[in-house]
Amino acid sequence: MKLAAPGAPHLTYCTNIHPGETWTEVRANLERYVLPVRTLVAPGRRFGIGLRLSGAAAEALAVPAALAELQAFLAAHDLYVFTINGFPFGAFHGTRVKEQVYAPDWLDDARVAYTNRLATLLAALVPAETPYGSVSTVPGAFRARASSPAAEAAIADRLLQHVAHLIELEERTKRCIRTALEPEPWCVLETVDDAIAFFQSHLYTLAAAERLAALSGRSVVASAAAIRRHLGVCFDACHMAVEFEEPAAALARLAAAEIAVVKVQISAGMVATLGPDDAAIQSALASFADDVYLHQVVECRDGALYRFVDLPEALVAAADDREPREWRVHFHVPLFRETLGVVRSTQPWVATLLEALRSGAYDGHLEVETYTWDVLPASFRGEPVERAVARELNWVLERLES
């Protein structure tokens, strides 16, 4: 929905929280969940959708009859789509996801084809009066898959192939679609500095502009501008808090590097202070270790950061450690919970981020993304998911429209 806050960004929640990999399942979820959420949060108002489409669902929706059915449904219920979560390609609920969430990555031509398809679908859905539509995507690749300059160059080349598609798409449809790389722990783009270094080394270069010019048939100058127009970052609040970034400073560094924050995912992670008597905290954290998702951990000890690829690995390392340190854990927890038993959330970090966005008159895309409802410990998920989502959206609205 379009907000009344300074800059008037669009706000929604991501439908990746609802299990469903086929287009039939996704379509059913829109009616089952999105309509009740709109009634609870914005009755009578036009409501935007943050759509998540798997590879299979995107292929099915590309059939003209299916796309026309969705367009009719949106028109009938005064809904619109302005952003798509193009991060997870395959199954995202009820099975082991872990590091497979990045596959296929930007080292694989299948990622280009999938993201091109999402952009084409979004161009048919985003309203004409909306400045752009956004597609968030994996941050290059899982770091273990792309630890060399050659791998980063290959990722960049596929991104340029995708930009060539976005240029042609905008010319044909008059809709600007922007793709947003989402930094995440243990990936090629992990921190804000990683994102800046990647853009400056591989995308904001004469060689990149020349390559895109060859792909698109545009001039080198126009191609350089198109890279900046169509590529940016998705700033995920949980990921950035886990990386110990400071909200306003991180946004300022991206702005100084002329990297667009195309989309902000509003999400909270977990914080734990460990030390000599932390048995209760470690036990509480263990209850969040599931077999579905990666829960990367970043530890701050004496001012230095140390990283674990998943929560169980971190807990094993902590078993006999009595030194004081702080953990931040990549587990998207409800925004409205400041604590989860003896564990804290990064909710104060999120509130600081929202204030920075508001004071900076951010006018882009905002998407609440707590996709972990079905793996939260039972004591923290005792209400219908549509009511929990509505509570999250209202928590955000209170801070943006106060």
Side-chain angles (χ1 to χ4, degrees), residues 33-53:
Y33 296 110
V34 173
L35 293 180
V37 168
R38 194 265 296 276
T39 298
L40 290 167
V41 175
R45 291 176 62 181
R46 195 175 189 214
F47 193 75
I49 297 175
L51 196 60
R52 185 260 159 162
L53 296 172

Side-chain angles (χ1 to χ4, degrees), residues 96-100 102 142 184-186 242 270 285-286 288-299 306-318 327-331 371:
R96 187 184 189 279
V97 178
K98 298 291 183 178
E99 68 278 3
Q100 291 304 308
Y102 311 108
F142 195 48
E184 179 171 317
W186 281 89
V242 167
M270 297 195 300
L285 287 171
F288 287 87
D290 60 74
D291 295 328
V292 179
Y293 303 112
L294 271 186
H295 300 299
Q296 302 94 318
V297 177
V298 179
E299 174 185 281
Y306 304 88
R307 292 173 168 83
F308 302 92
V309 73
D310 205 358
L311 180 55
E313 174 192 325
L315 289 168
V316 169
W327 278 10
R328 296 194 181 179
V329 184
H330 175 216
F331 191 120
Y371 57 81

Side-chain angles (χ1 to χ4, degrees), residues 272-283 285 297-302 304-308 313-327:
T273 302
L274 291 88
D277 302 309
D278 60 16
I281 291 176
Q282 289 197 43
S283 176
L285 287 171
V297 177
V298 179
E299 174 185 281
C300 183
R301 184 195 299 255
D302 296 327
L305 299 183
Y306 304 88
R307 292 173 168 83
F308 302 92
E313 174 192 325
L315 289 168
V316 169
D320 298 316
D321 194 340
R322 296 294 179 265
E323 295 300 315
R325 66 253 189 234
E326 181 177 302
W327 278 10

Side-chain angles (χ1 to χ4, degrees), residues 352-376:
T352 301
L353 170 65
L354 293 177
E355 177 55 34
L357 294 171
R358 191 173 77 141
S359 62
Y362 179 71
D363 61 356
H365 295 172
L366 303 174
E367 181 181 60
V368 169
E369 198 215 15
T370 306
Y371 57 81
T372 51
W373 297 104
D374 51 353
V375 296
L376 279 169

